[in-house]
Amino acid sequence: MEYAIATFCYGERYYNQTNRMIESFDYMEVKPQIFIVTDSVESILERDFVNVKNITDFNPKYSTYYKNYYGFDFSVKRYSLLYAFQNGHENVILCDTDVVVNNTLYSHILVQKSFDDNSIVGPVTYNFNDEFKTNSMLGRRLTHYENKFGVEYDKDRLNFMPEDCIQYISIKGDLRFSFLETWNKCIEIKDTENLYNTPAGNIDEMCFSAFYNNITVGNNANKCLNLLTAKHDKWY
């Protein structure tokens, strides 16, 4: 299999969603490897295509967390991507755990065509210049990281900032770990300088880390729309 899937889950409602995602792959004869980082390995369904690690194997600080949507630190998901990278994968779908397979559309050929070399792309994207003019806060942390790292990027390259619910990540070789190292440094800055955690997610961090490592970002909705669908259990 030329790609893997990485996700994360913390708390009972999310263990259940993860297991629902796993079960949605059961009909396939050939399945992608799924890499899951969680605080409760025993809560996750066992399958031969499912790989599970406890977050304490990566960073014990994330074993304690806010149990509300707005307080939860979604930067923990970078360890799920690391887990897949450590197992040799260079094409990884990093997704929230509430996604399920759309078995009327999903195929491995279509998924593999949805990756763009040396890029982070997704079916839902935001325009930096449009968002920065509003009160959405999107892009505010990115400009802070530019100042801290002493760099500045053409914001027209950020017309398509991938939402981090479903992202198709294609990064080769050692560049995978350089990208994650930059992401780690961004989180250290965010935590140390008490930057706002809204919008929840990692859009600013991932886009900045991509540019810092000469990786592109973009939209791939024309290739992958609805292959995986989110079944949101909204509670916020």
Side-chain angles (χ1 to χ4, degrees):
M1 186 63 64
E2 295 182 8
Y3 70 94
I5 295 173
T7 192
F8 62 105
C9 61
Y10 299 84
E12 185 173 353
R13 69 190 306 122
Y14 296 110
Y15 310 144
N16 294 334
Q17 289 183 357
T18 299
N19 291 335
R20 181 182 65 190
M21 180 185 74
I22 292 169
E23 289 174 330
S24 77
F25 283 90
D26 280 342
Y27 78 95
M28 294 182 185
E29 183 176 350
V30 179
K31 305 171 181 66
Q33 292 292 302
I34 299 177
F35 294 88
I36 301 164
V37 180
T38 179
D39 64 331
S40 181
V41 171
E42 63 275 9
S43 298
I44 307 305
L45 288 175
E46 293 185 11
R47 297 285 194 276
D48 59 4
F49 61 96
V50 174
N51 310 271
V52 187
K53 271 203 173 199
N54 196 294
I55 185 58
T56 56
D57 293 336
F58 292 107
N59 190 336
K61 87 164 192 175
Y62 286 100
S63 61
T64 301
Y65 51 88
Y66 287 103
K67 296 184 179 180
N68 65 81
Y69 178 82
Y70 292 107
F72 186 81
D73 185 356
F74 286 90
S75 66
V76 68
K77 67 165 52 179
R78 68 193 190 279
Y79 294 105
S80 300
L81 184 59
L82 173 61
Y83 189 16
F85 284 169
Q86 287 178 336
N87 281 271
H89 292 280
E90 297 180 326
N91 293 325
V92 181
I93 302 174
L94 179 62
C95 60
D96 287 352
T97 203
D98 63 359
V99 304
V100 295
V101 173
N102 181 348
N103 57 21
T104 63
L105 293 177
Y106 193 99
S107 76
H108 297 312
I109 292 175
L110 288 177
V111 170
Q112 287 163 188
K113 288 181 177 179
S114 297
F115 291 96
D116 293 333
D117 287 345
N118 197 48
S119 73
I120 299 172
V121 294
V124 178
T125 52
Y126 299 94
N127 183 299
F128 176 93
N129 292 308
D130 290 344
E131 296 292 329
F132 204 77
K133 293 181 289 188
T134 72
N135 293 322
S136 76
M137 300 299 293
L138 187 69
R140 308 286 173 176
R141 293 196 306 267
L142 185 145
T143 57
H144 190 88
Y145 301 139
E146 285 182 321
N147 290 331
K148 296 296 289 188
F149 280 78
V151 296
E152 185 175 356
Y153 299 110
D154 179 0
K155 302 306 183 293
D156 288 337
R157 294 173 59 196
L158 289 168
N159 289 339
F160 301 100
M161 300 175 72
E163 183 183 59
D164 67 336
C165 293
I166 303 175
Q167 295 171 317
Y168 290 72
I169 299 171
S170 180
I171 308 175
K172 308 299 183 187
D174 291 340
L175 190 60
R176 293 170 296 171
F177 304 102
S178 296
F179 165 76
L180 285 174
E181 181 180 354
T182 306
W183 190 354
N184 285 335
K185 290 177 180 176
C186 288
I187 299 305
E188 289 175 10
I189 294 168
K190 180 172 76 75
D191 292 346
T192 301
E193 304 193 12
N194 297 314
L195 303 183
Y196 286 110
N197 202 37
T198 55
N202 305 273
I203 300 171
D204 285 8
E205 286 77 16
M206 294 186 75
C207 288
F208 176 83
S209 300
F211 281 7
Y212 195 76
N213 289 278
N214 297 311
I215 299 163
T216 61
V217 300
N219 186 293
N220 68 340
N222 62 320
K223 299 178 181 179
C224 75
L225 191 63
N226 294 328
L227 298 182
L228 295 168
T229 59
K231 297 182 70 173
H232 293 308
D233 177 16
K234 290 199 172 182
W235 56 295
Y236 50 88

